[in-house]
Amino acid sequence: MVQEHEPSTTGEAAEPTATRRIADDTESSRASRGWWDRNADEYQEEHGAFLGDDRFVWGPEGLDEAEAGLLGPAEALKGRDVLEVGAGAAQCARWLAAQGARPVALDLSYRQLRHARRIDAEAAASGGPGVALVQADATALPFRDGSFDLACSAYGAVPFVAEPVRVMREVRRVLRPGGRWVFAVTHPIRWAFPDEPGPEGLSVAASYFDRTPYVEQDESGRAVYVEHHRTLGDRVRDVVAGGFRLVDLVEPEWPAWNHQEWGGWSPLRGSLIPGTAIFVCERD
Ligand SMILES: C[S@@+](CC[C@H](N)C(=O)[O-])C[C@H]1O[C@@H](n2cnc3c(N)ncnc32)[C@H](O)[C@@H]1O
């Protein structure tokens, strides 16, 4: 869940500039890894309390897997092998472990995974089970075919890769037959609006159909942050091309209890337009 940040800086370097240009998977991965390594501390400091150390929150609306059951009933998770893609500090994986599942939390960023390790170490004192952590790119998963029963991602990896169908195919490969893959991304409609939580974020400012990536680049033109847009139709086609059936598309509504702003997500905008799209997919 990003689209909120000030352009990141490195040491004395000039502030990156925001632009729209093509960025392939190699450049996107390199930028993501660097950005999340540099910004993981601040991200966890700012959002860690809302995410909770062992909650499974699908997005800034606060939809909780404990209530939503998008991966299936919580009691059916026991003993299941689950892959969390783009896990960050592995909060979701930790909730899965508490249900008796066997999660593996995968992320590109070493620093994000350090936060996962920190939270696990703190939880160990009170008997927390800890989760298996793997540093890798979601476009090349380092697992054998058919290693998992379920896969999930709450804003991890998918919005940051140029060719999300590669992630779909990789996830399908590592899932067992009948496996479920549930992933949340920024709702595609948000691309057309300024990333602002207030009224200025309610007027269309860009074409929904313009897929040119959002890129922040340094003085030399090197991307330091990349986010990719796909329309709703593109996402459905990626799911299908990846070998999945789409069984649900969840657009969480903003709940009355949630007063927090998260970047461009806010109660105001949340009451008017969707902020998150969650794709519930199954493989044969
Ligand atoms: C917004 S965070 C989501 C993590 C967690 N669910 C949360 O809400 O904090 C996005 C995560 O995706 C990871 N990521 C970005 N691109 C990735 C890639 N190509 N492969 C694996 N992880 C990636 C980032 O390192 C980051 O930890």
Side-chain angles (χ1 to χ4, degrees), residues 143-226:
F143 307 109
R144 290 198 180 132
D145 298 2
S147 299
F148 298 96
D149 301 300
L150 299 162
C152 59
S153 181
Y155 279 79
V158 179
F160 305 106
V161 299
E163 297 177 67
V165 72
R166 291 180 63 192
V167 178
M168 305 295 143
R169 289 191 178 125
E170 275 295 84
V171 171
R172 184 183 188 282
R173 181 183 64 73
V174 302
L175 277 176
R176 297 180 182 125
R180 184 169 269 223
W181 161 225
V182 186
F183 67 94
V185 294
T186 304
H187 197 289
I189 194 63
R190 288 290 176 116
W191 194 253
F193 295 87
D195 190 32
E196 299 290 343
E200 64 278 27
L202 294 175
S203 301
V204 170
S207 170
Y208 168 78
F209 300 104
D210 182 356
R211 278 87 158 174
T212 315
Y214 170 83
V215 175
E216 290 169 12
Q217 57 187 22
D218 65 16
E219 281 172 313
S220 68
R222 200 174 61 104
V224 295
Y225 180 85
V226 180

Side-chain angles (χ1 to χ4, degrees), residues 2-249:
V2 276
Q3 273 202 344
E4 66 177 276
H5 47 83
E6 295 298 316
S8 55
T9 54
T10 45
E12 298 298 309
E15 288 229 327
T17 50
T19 186
R20 300 279 296 274
R21 68 162 171 81
I22 300 299
D24 65 14
D25 263 337
T26 304
E27 187 177 26
S28 299
S29 286
R30 196 178 51 224
S32 289
R33 185 172 170 182
W35 194 89
W36 286 99
D37 279 348
R38 287 192 303 279
N39 291 280
D41 294 2
E42 192 182 325
Y43 180 85
Q44 297 300 335
E45 173 80 29
E46 191 175 349
H47 301 298
F50 179 77
L51 292 170
D53 287 349
D54 54 5
R55 274 179 75 203
F56 190 143
V57 178
W58 283 107
E61 296 81 6
L63 182 68
D64 199 313
E65 175 62 10
E67 291 147 31
L70 302 182
L71 290 166
E75 53 277 15
L77 294 170
K78 196 165 187 292
R80 307 282 233 120
D81 295 307
V82 189
L83 173 64
E84 185 183 4
V85 178
Q91 288 94 343
C92 304
R94 217 165 280 111
W95 179 83
L96 290 162
Q99 311 314 306
R102 292 191 294 257
V104 174
L106 174 138
D107 202 281
L108 190 60
S109 161
Y110 173 78
R111 193 69 196 169
Q112 285 279 68
L113 293 173
R114 288 287 296 178
H115 280 281
R117 186 57 72 227
R118 169 185 59 78
I119 296 170
D120 276 349
E122 288 162 8
S126 50
V131 291
L133 306 177
V134 173
Q135 186 182 12
D137 195 311
T139 60
L141 297 173
F143 307 109
R144 290 198 180 132
D145 298 2
S147 299
F148 298 96
D149 301 300
L150 299 162
C152 59
S153 181
Y155 279 79
V158 179
F160 305 106
V161 299
E163 297 177 67
V165 72
R166 291 180 63 192
V167 178
M168 305 295 143
R169 289 191 178 125
E170 275 295 84
V171 171
R172 184 183 188 282
R173 181 183 64 73
V174 302
L175 277 176
R176 297 180 182 125
R180 184 169 269 223
W181 161 225
V182 186
F183 67 94
V185 294
T186 304
H187 197 289
I189 194 63
R190 288 290 176 116
W191 194 253
F193 295 87
D195 190 32
E196 299 290 343
E200 64 278 27
L202 294 175
S203 301
V204 170
S207 170
Y208 168 78
F209 300 104
D210 182 356
R211 278 87 158 174
T212 315
Y214 170 83
V215 175
E216 290 169 12
Q217 57 187 22
D218 65 16
E219 281 172 313
S220 68
R222 200 174 61 104
V224 295
Y225 180 85
V226 180
E227 202 160 320
H228 293 270
H229 168 59
R230 310 283 285 154
T231 68
L232 208 48
D234 293 339
R235 291 262 179 239
V236 172
R237 280 184 288 279
D238 287 341
V239 163
V240 173
F244 289 99
R245 269 181 305 118
L246 182 65
V247 296
D248 200 358
L249 171 51

